[in-house]
Amino acid sequence: MDKRTLTALLLMFILFLVFQQYVWKPKPVAQTQPTSPEQPAQAAQPAADSLPKPGLALPDSLIDPNLEAARIILSNQVMKVSFSSRGAVIQQVEMKDHKVDKATPVRLIPPDSGIAGLKVFYPATQSDLSGAVFNYRVSADSSKIDFWLGDEANPKVKRSYSLDSGYGIGMKIRIDNLGTIHGLGLDFGAGIADSETYTKYKAQDYKFVYYANNEIKKTTLASLKKKPAGGKVNTFRWAALRSKYFSIAVKENEPYLTSEFQATVNPKTGNPSMELASKSSSGKLIWEQDYLVYAGPADYDLLSGYNSQMQNVAERGPGWLRWLANLIAGFLKFLHGFIPNYGVVIIVFSMILSVILTSIQHPLTRKGMEANLKMQAIQPHMDAIRKRYPNDMNAQRVEMAKLQKEHGVNMFGGCIMWVPLLFNMPILISLYSVLRYTLDMRNASFVLWWQDLSLPDKYYVLPILMGATMVIQSRFMKPPSPPEDQMTEQQKQAQQMGKTMNLIMPVMMFFIFRGLPAGLVLYYTVYSIFAAIQQYHLQKKFRNKDTVK
C-alpha cells in the first residue's frame, strides 16, 4: 500500500474520530408536541423524583384559610412571566418574540407545573412550602412582586421577584424566625419545556450545564437518562437547563451558599430538570439568599451580559474552537443584515471562504504537485534499486535516500497536497455548532423543502450532491501520472487503489453528513464546487507553465 493510500486512510480515520467526538448523533427519542396554552393557576406540581419528603408542618399562624391561590403576571418588552401565590413559584415564562408556530408563543415551563419551589431544611427533616398560599403585593410599576407568609411588616418567609429589561428574573429569599434553619432547597424539577415541534435529536441537543468548583461541565440528556448528575460542591456559580434554543438558568449572587445540586430527567416530559440545595451544619435563625433566574434564548451574546461566564450555556462547540465559532456567527449575522435569506448567506459565505482558503493553500498544493511529479520521474531508478537489492531492505533504504537527495525529492512531499483538506476541519466543527444551535438559525429557511437549515435534509438531496461534488473534486486533485504503458506494476496498483479511495470517501461522507444540519451540508457542497473549479484552473496553469521538468 503506497503512502498516498495510507494518507487517505489516515484522513478518513481522523475525520471519523472528529465527527464521532464533536458531532455525535444519539438514538432518536420519542417526539413530543409543544406545550399547550396556559391553564388557569394551579398548584405547582414537582416532578416525581422531587416530591417533598415528610417534614415539619407550617405553624397555623402562617396559614390563612381564606386565601385562594392566585395567578399574577409581570411583563417586560421581551417576556411575560406568570407567578402562582401557591408556593410563590414561577408558573410560566412566555417569550414575546419567539413562537412555536404562527399562533403559539414559546413557553419555557411545562404546563400545570412551576419552578423555584422552596424547601426549608432542619436537622432531621424539612418543610416543603410548595403547598402554602402566600400573600402578595405587586409594585406600582408592575416590575416586582413580593410574596410573604406571616405579617407583611415582619414576615416569617419572604420571596421577592423582579424583572430586568431582558430575560433576567431577580429572586430573593428571606426566612426569619421559622426555627433554627439548616438550609433551603430550590426545586426546578418541572424542568424545561419543548419549544420545537421537531425533537428527534433532543437527546443530543438538550443539556444540563453548570459552573461549580471553578469548572464548567455539560451533560447531555442522553447521559442524564443513564446517570443523574450532581453532588456536593465547594463553590457554586450557576446551573442551567437547556433545550435546543432556550434555557432556564439559576445564578447565585453573593454570598455563595449553594452546596449541593442534582440534575435528573423529568419523567413526564423526558427533559432535564434540577434541584439546588444550600445547607449549613451550624444552623441560622435568619437565612437569606439572592439569585438570578435567566429564562430566555440560549444566546451567546445575551448570556454574556449576565457575567460569571454564563455565555457557556450557549452551544459553541469545543472550548479551543469557541473563538472561531464566535467569529463565524458574527460574520453570518453581518451578511444576514444585507441578505434576508440564510441559505443565500451560507452560499456567499462558502464562496468567500473558498477563495480565501484556496489562496492560502495554493503554495502547499503547488509543492505537493511538484513533489509527485519528481517522485514519478525517479520511479524507474527506484524500481532498479529494488531489483538490485531484492532481499536487503536496509540497502534499499540507503540507496533510495541517496537517490532522493540527488534529485531533490522529499519522500513525503506528495502528502502536502492533503494538508489543505485538514484546514477545513476546524471550520466544519465550528460551523456545525453555529448552524445547529444559534438562535438566528431557528427556522431559517432557504428554498423548497429546506425550511429549517438547522435540521437534516429529509430527502438527502444535499448530501448526495455533496458526494457527487467530492468525486469530481478528487479528479481535479489527482496528481499527473505517466501513460499506462510506462507505469510499473506498483504504480498501476497505486493508481487503482487511489480510484477506489476516491469512491469510498464520498460514500463515507454521505453517511456522516446525512444527519447533520442542511445548512452545514450546503456550505460544504458549495465550498467543494468552488474549490474544485479553482483546483482545475490551478492544475491547468501548472501544466501549461511546465514548471517541473
Side-chain angles (χ1 to χ4, degrees):
M1 189 178 294
D2 69 332
K3 66 179 183 302
R4 190 180 300 117
T5 303
L6 286 172
T7 305
L9 287 172
L10 179 61
L11 285 172
M12 290 175 65
F13 180 69
I14 292 174
L15 189 66
F16 174 78
L17 289 180
V18 168
F19 276 87
Q20 186 77 1
Q21 177 70 24
Y22 298 114
V23 193
W24 168 75
K25 302 192 292 293
K27 295 181 179 179
V29 297
Q31 182 171 335
T32 58
Q33 298 298 321
T35 58
S36 59
E38 287 185 2
Q39 304 294 323
Q42 298 181 20
Q45 300 296 323
D49 58 351
S50 61
L51 289 174
K53 300 175 184 178
L56 293 177
L58 290 172
D60 293 337
S61 60
L62 298 183
I63 305 298
D64 186 345
N66 298 317
L67 278 180
E68 293 184 1
R71 179 170 174 263
I72 310 98
I73 296 176
L74 299 185
S75 180
N76 62 16
Q77 292 185 341
V78 296
M79 65 178 177
K80 182 171 71 173
V81 184
S82 302
F83 301 88
S84 173
S85 62
R86 186 178 299 279
V89 298
I90 302 173
Q91 193 174 49
Q92 190 55 266
V93 180
E94 183 178 296
M95 302 289 98
K96 291 187 176 181
D97 299 327
H98 306 284
K99 297 183 180 297
V100 177
D101 52 47
K102 292 182 179 180
T104 309
V106 169
R107 298 184 177 98
L108 300 188
I109 302 174
D112 303 323
S113 60
I115 59 173
L118 182 62
K119 299 175 183 177
V120 180
F121 297 128
Y122 296 94
T125 186
Q126 64 185 39
S127 287
D128 191 303
L129 304 186
S130 61
V133 179
F134 284 66
N135 294 280
Y136 67 91
R137 186 180 301 279
V138 179
S139 64
D141 60 358
S142 298
S143 64
K144 181 181 177 182
I145 183 170
D146 292 327
F147 293 97
W148 70 88
L149 292 176
D151 182 65
E152 182 178 5
N154 188 26
K156 300 291 185 181
V157 180
K158 183 177 181 180
R159 304 193 66 179
S160 300
Y161 295 95
S162 59
L163 305 189
D164 63 16
S165 59
Y167 295 96
I169 306 172
M171 180 175 67
K172 294 183 178 181
I173 302 171
R174 177 184 170 90
I175 302 174
D176 189 357
N177 291 321
L178 200 61
T180 302
I181 301 166
H182 286 257
L184 60 82
L186 288 176
D187 186 2
F188 287 77
I192 189 168
D194 294 320
S195 60
E196 315 302 312
T197 56
Y198 187 90
T199 57
K200 181 179 180 180
Y201 296 100
K202 69 189 293 183
Q204 171 191 357
D205 296 334
Y206 288 37
K207 287 183 172 67
F208 169 67
V209 190
Y210 68 91
Y211 181 20
N213 294 335
N214 297 317
E215 61 180 348
I216 296 171
K217 290 188 176 182
K218 298 183 179 183
T219 305
T220 63
L221 177 59
S223 298
L224 282 180
K225 288 182 176 181
K226 297 176 183 178
K227 182 181 179 181
K232 295 183 178 181
V233 294
N234 295 321
T235 58
F236 176 88
R237 293 297 178 268
W238 51 260
L241 308 173
R242 203 194 73 205
S243 61
K244 185 177 181 181
Y245 293 113
F246 296 91
S247 179
I248 296 175
V250 184
K251 172 191 171 187
E252 185 175 14
N253 299 319
E254 294 188 56
Y256 304 119
L257 302 176
T258 301
S259 56
E260 298 178 20
F261 70 91
Q262 183 179 33
T264 56
V265 177
N266 183 296
K268 293 182 179 179
T269 64
N271 296 342
S273 63
M274 65 180 175
E275 292 186 19
L276 307 178
S278 305
K279 295 182 179 179
S280 172
S281 58
S282 58
K284 301 178 181 178
L285 292 176
I286 299 176
W287 192 287
E288 292 183 286
Q289 277 188 266
D290 187 2
Y291 301 90
L292 169 82
V293 178
Y294 178 90
D299 181 81
Y300 187 93
D301 295 329
L302 289 174
L303 287 160
S304 296
Y306 289 94
N307 304 319
S308 297
Q309 302 187 52
M310 283 192 68
Q311 65 270 20
N312 287 282
V313 174
E315 186 59 57
R316 285 292 169 90
W320 61 282
L321 282 177
R322 193 162 292 133
W323 66 272
L324 182 57
N326 293 337
L327 187 64
I328 291 174
F331 187 58
L332 290 177
K333 196 168 187 177
F334 170 77
L335 291 177
H336 190 245
F338 302 94
I339 306 172
N341 188 301
Y342 251 114
V344 179
V345 168
I346 293 173
I347 291 175
V348 173
F349 173 75
S350 305
M351 294 166 57
I352 295 173
L353 203 61
S354 176
V355 172
I356 294 174
L357 291 184
T358 302
S359 300
I360 296 174
Q361 297 162 6
H362 174 78
L364 294 176
T365 305
R366 186 182 185 87
K367 288 182 180 180
M369 293 171 65
E370 291 176 353
N372 274 313
L373 289 175
K374 288 182 179 180
M375 186 65 73
Q376 290 171 12
I378 66 171
Q379 191 65 44
H381 301 290
M382 296 175 68
D383 293 336
I385 292 174
R386 292 189 185 97
K387 291 178 180 179
R388 193 183 312 156
Y389 306 101
N391 300 317
D392 191 343
M393 299 301 296
N394 187 53
Q396 284 187 24
R397 285 194 293 270
V398 172
E399 291 299 322
M400 286 186 180
K402 291 180 180 178
L403 178 66
Q404 292 166 6
K405 186 175 181 180
E406 290 173 3
H407 290 80
V409 176
N410 184 346
M411 182 177 178
F412 299 100
C415 300
I416 296 176
M417 290 187 64
W418 297 97
V419 173
L421 295 178
L422 296 178
F423 280 22
N424 216 16
M425 289 307 302
I427 296 173
L428 282 175
I429 296 171
S430 300
L431 197 58
Y432 169 82
S433 300
V434 172
L435 295 182
R436 188 172 183 85
Y437 298 111
T438 300
L439 187 66
D440 293 336
M441 295 304 300
R442 184 173 185 261
N443 298 324
S445 62
F446 182 30
V447 294
L448 301 176
W449 60 87
W450 296 300
Q451 295 304 306
D452 191 339
L453 291 173
S454 70
L455 300 177
D457 182 351
K458 59 183 178 181
Y459 297 123
Y460 301 147
V461 173
L462 284 176
I464 292 173
L465 180 60
M466 182 203 68
T469 303
M470 290 186 66
V471 173
I472 298 173
Q473 186 183 20
S474 66
R475 295 181 63 85
F476 291 148
M477 292 190 66
K478 184 177 66 174
S481 58
E484 189 172 350
D485 57 353
Q486 298 179 17
M487 288 185 182
T488 64
E489 286 299 319
Q490 186 180 13
Q491 286 177 312
K492 291 179 180 179
Q493 292 177 4
Q495 186 182 60
Q496 184 59 41
M497 184 65 73
K499 290 180 179 178
T500 303
M501 294 301 300
N502 288 338
L503 292 176
I504 292 177
M505 189 70 168
V507 173
M508 179 181 175
M509 292 291 284
F510 166 80
F511 284 102
I512 291 176
F513 274 74
R514 67 174 182 167
L516 300 184
L520 183 65
V521 187
L522 177 64
Y523 156 79
Y524 197 74
T525 302
V526 175
Y527 176 88
S528 298
I529 291 173
F530 274 83
I533 293 173
Q534 293 180 76
Q535 186 73 20
Y536 170 76
H537 286 295
L538 175 62
Q539 290 203 2
K540 185 177 179 181
K541 182 178 179 181
F542 183 77
R543 289 192 178 104
N544 290 340
K545 287 188 175 182
D546 194 23
T547 54
V548 180
K549 305 297 183 182

